[in-house]
Amino acid sequence: MSEKSFETLYREWQEKTEELLQKYPEQKNRFETLSGIGIERVYVPDGASRRESERIGLPGEYPYTRGIRPTMYRSRHWTMRQYAGFGSAEETNRRFRYLLEQGQTGLSVAFDLPTQIGYDSDDPMSAGEVGKVGVAIDSLADMETLLQGIPLDRVSTSMTINAPAAVLLAMVIAVGEKQGIPSHLLTGTIQNDILKEYIARGTYIFPPQPSMRLITDIFAFCGEHVPRWNTISISGYHIREAGSTAVQEVAFTLANGIAYVEAAVKAGLEVDRFAPRLSFFFNAHNHFFEEVAKFRAARRLWARIMKERFGAQDPRSMQLRFHTQTGGSTLTAQQPDNNVVRVTLQALSAVLGGTQSLHTNARDEALALPTEESARIALRTQQILAHESGVTDTVDPLGGSWFVESLTDAIEAEAEAYLERIDEMGGAVAAVEQGYMQREIQQAALETQRKIESGGEVVVGLNRYRLEKETEPELYRVNPKLAQKQVVALQDLRKSRDSVQVEACLERLKQGAAGDANLMPLILDAVRTYATVGEICHCLREVFGEYQPMV
Amino acid sequence: MNRPIRVLVAKPGLDGHDRGALIIAQALRDEGMEVIYTGLRQSPAQIVATAIQEDVDVIGLSCLSGAHNELFAEVMSLLKEEDAEDIVVVGGGVIPQSDIAGLLEKGIARIFTPGTSTKDTADFIREAIKRREASS
């Protein structure tokens, strides 16, 4: 640690930030309250102690407790990225364009379960699920429709896809080629986080080892060809939704992060080459201050892990960047309008915690997919926070609060204890294989349920303040005819494409999988011939086998 | 009935959200029932086969993906084919009120929506089994 006093560090930070402002100015020259009181960029303690300067530091400076950029939202708001997708590519493309017109700043694609698990829409396994929780994508043809009219170099596209992430990323690259956008200009994110699928969400295909290989293949390929793409979004969101505590969310997510970095280093990649493209995804849950502290603790812990454990040199390798989604499992089916209030508070905690991108849930999500109206209210919630509340006027406004700093320290310490335990077990992959994290989360979920049922934890409208008679709002319904249409289109595609070419590409992919070639170029070739998600994944299933969970 | 009530907790379809299914499985065990959990991604045919093989009294279906109308109905029609309609079937998950009447018509005894207490579920199951015993 530096020997400099906090005053010196602060002065140097101010000078550096002034320089930065020449290039990236803030949104206003002067920030002030509604009464006209001036607002500083960041508030710092008087006569700060050594402890404060080392543990808390300054925004944009290691260990990044106060945020990854010196000016944060004064320069640019977070990306407003609403997760959307349902039915066909055509219908989802319409919702995307609607959200962009309404001021959304990034896209986030929800895929249906068959796509997420590598089945085509006409596979018997897909019965009943086509287009339900997201959009059905069978081939490049669907991806072309999905992204039609979206400038892929200007609007970043996040895709919640894990087991078949390589296939869907290859499709985006291929659409880029058709739009005339070379791969090095594409911006976006694939979730690509398989470990949390085994732990919490269940959309896995292959066993852990080949899954880890696919992930490091993507890191290596994108490092060279798609450098602006976030190659993974290491997700605590689903861990929390499965019932974990905030501490477990941080601990297990970072444990998974460590496993990915180790796998990539072991595959021969240099840490500073891929680590700047790692990103994270957290939940914003109910306890307001604990959530703010959670984000700050995660950032500080990751910075230390990258610097001390992996010897990263590039500051971007140490900066934990994250997307946040408000907590779906906190929403009630009872009195759904109350969810707008829950979402607002959760979103505020994410903003005060320094998120880079945010999805706010819609009020009707405990009942069905959001209607257009409820999706719009969810987006407006973010816009009101960004433009009206004033919480974006200064960086890390809760920094220095005794409560928040103390909670940040506590979450960090408890998460570290978990990380040590997981290290002793042989790392996250071993811990997942032994069912350790799954058991810890399930225990926490049961405790929460018991507290809710005993009334120890109050859920407004559910175990208190219930209405005698609930009226259900108008819900969104996926058109049942879409699945049939999707199947017909897929079968037409199979007839019209060059099947000799498709077969040859799939055969080469199979051989590559059996050997140790980087699979991304082979998948990209297959995608270009309009080979389907199901065909490509079946090919890999034949070589890699399928994961069999312990029940 | 002289033995504990046997329940199969099942996840039909591809939905991976099993927090509710796991909680219900544990809660029914705590209430003294014997519970078997299928794990994820079970087809209706697999669920019905397991239910018959394990000689369960109750099947609890959980689905959050919106595929409940197709998948729950398929389970009911397979039970009928197998002459196993005496098995009490209950369902839960993200299920709109407006779908519930249709599911009940197919023979599902009860749909539990989010916010139901596990105690209520257990009580309902005990009552349903008692009624079945009385009528047989």
Side-chain angles (χ1 to χ4, degrees), chain B residues 30-135:
Chain B
D30 292 348
E31 294 272 343
M33 300 182 196
E34 284 180 5
V35 182
I36 304 148
Y37 173 48
T38 59
L40 302 179
R41 296 191 208 165
Q42 299 292 302
S43 68
Q46 283 170 315
I47 291 168
V48 168
T50 309
I52 291 169
Q53 195 188 343
E54 297 282 347
D55 190 25
V56 299
D57 307 294
V58 180
I59 301 175
L61 298 169
S62 163
C63 180
L64 282 80
S65 70
H68 48 268
N69 285 336
E70 292 87 342
L71 295 167
F72 290 9
E74 180 69 7
V75 168
M76 296 316 288
S77 83
L78 289 171
L79 281 174
K80 200 170 189 177
E81 268 175 38
E82 298 290 333
D83 238 352
E85 289 164 284
D86 60 321
I87 297 177
V88 174
V89 180
V90 295
V94 175
I95 296 171
Q97 289 298 326
S98 43
D99 285 356
I100 291 177
L103 292 169
L104 297 182
E105 259 167 46
K106 298 249 164 25
I108 293 173
R110 179 83 177 261
I111 294 292
F112 295 103
T113 47
T116 309
S117 88
T118 54
K119 180 82 176 42
D120 290 349
T121 310
D123 289 344
F124 177 84
I125 287 174
R126 266 190 295 261
E127 284 302 311
I129 296 298
K130 222 183 276 172
R131 275 199 304 275
R132 191 187 69 177
E133 299 291 295
S135 67

Side-chain angles (χ1 to χ4, degrees), chain A residues 227-238:
Chain A
R228 289 172 64 191
W229 199 271
N230 296 314
T231 50
I232 195 165
S233 167
I234 307 160
S235 305
Y237 183 82
H238 313 92

Side-chain angles (χ1 to χ4, degrees), chain A residues 417-461:
Chain A
Y418 262 120
L419 288 175
E420 275 167 33
R421 177 84 209 276
I422 292 166
D423 277 340
E424 281 163 19
M425 299 176 78
V429 178
V432 167
E433 284 171 342
Q434 293 166 41
Y436 169 69
M437 301 188 229
Q438 295 91 313
R439 282 194 303 276
E440 288 288 305
I441 295 166
Q442 209 196 323
Q443 193 51 44
L446 270 173
E447 276 163 31
T448 304
Q449 181 69 21
R450 289 195 183 115
K451 276 193 264 179
I452 291 172
E453 293 193 6
S454 70
E457 193 172 312
V458 175
V459 184
V460 171

Side-chain angles (χ1 to χ4, degrees), chain A residues 357-373:
Chain A
S357 131
L358 181 60
H359 166 102
T360 30
N361 286 45
R363 61 185 171 173
D364 46 5
E365 286 183 42
L367 300 160
L369 288 183
T371 61
E372 190 172 274
E373 188 195 6

